[in-house]
Amino acid sequence: MADRKCLALIAHDQKKDDLAAFAKANEAVLSKWRIVATGTTGGRVLDVCPGLDIVRLKSGPLGGDQQIGALIATGDVNCLIFFVDPLTAMPHDVDVKALMRLAIVYDIPMALNRATAEQLIDFRRN
């Protein structure tokens, strides 16, 4: 199934449990995607969904956000789900903004919270 589309998963620290719960609730749909994730986020999702095809990249602050941005720029990521915590300051905020900018520039679907991710998954399911 190498022709499967690729989904990127990222979550800020305070949102990682929420993203893992989202993945568990949508495991059947997510199993149809190739998934790349930042390191810690990917680990949390694999803990609850060990059967998913997830490639873990570096942790976000250590370059994982930039790695996913590069995959967006090369056309290797088709969709981004990034559970953002707007109430906590992020020391790597410039990386986060650059990643979001690339998703917008390359016009890929991007969900920044669970409600939007649910809609995106429902849309992609059909």
Side-chain angles (χ1 to χ4, degrees):
M1 293 185 68
D3 61 334
R4 292 181 298 164
K5 298 229 179 215
C6 184
L7 170 68
L9 297 177
I10 308 172
H12 285 147
D13 288 345
Q14 299 302 317
K15 299 293 184 173
K16 288 185 191 319
D17 289 340
D18 192 26
L19 183 60
F22 165 82
K24 185 64 179 169
N26 293 283
E27 188 171 4
V29 175
L30 295 179
S31 70
K32 297 176 182 163
W33 291 80
R34 284 183 306 113
I35 300 171
V36 294
T38 50
T40 309
T41 299
R44 289 275 184 88
V45 172
L46 280 172
D47 285 344
V48 298
C49 303
L52 290 180
D53 176 16
I54 300 178
V55 174
R56 291 174 60 195
L57 305 173
K58 293 186 180 290
S59 171
L62 298 178
D65 296 334
Q66 292 180 344
Q67 286 179 297
I68 289 176
L71 292 170
I72 291 170
T74 59
D76 294 314
V77 166
N78 309 101
C79 188
L80 172 64
I81 294 177
F82 188 169
F83 282 15
V84 175
D85 177 8
L87 302 178
T88 303
M90 299 296 144
H92 65 292
D93 189 53
V94 292
D95 297 332
V96 172
K97 287 179 181 172
L99 174 63
M100 290 180 187
R101 179 182 174 278
L102 286 168
I104 294 165
V105 167
Y106 287 93
D107 199 25
I108 67 165
M110 174 175 52
L112 301 177
N113 60 30
R114 187 170 185 153
T116 308
E118 294 284 355
Q119 293 293 316
L120 185 59
I121 291 297
D122 282 343
F123 173 75
R124 295 287 174 181
R125 186 177 313 198
N126 297 325

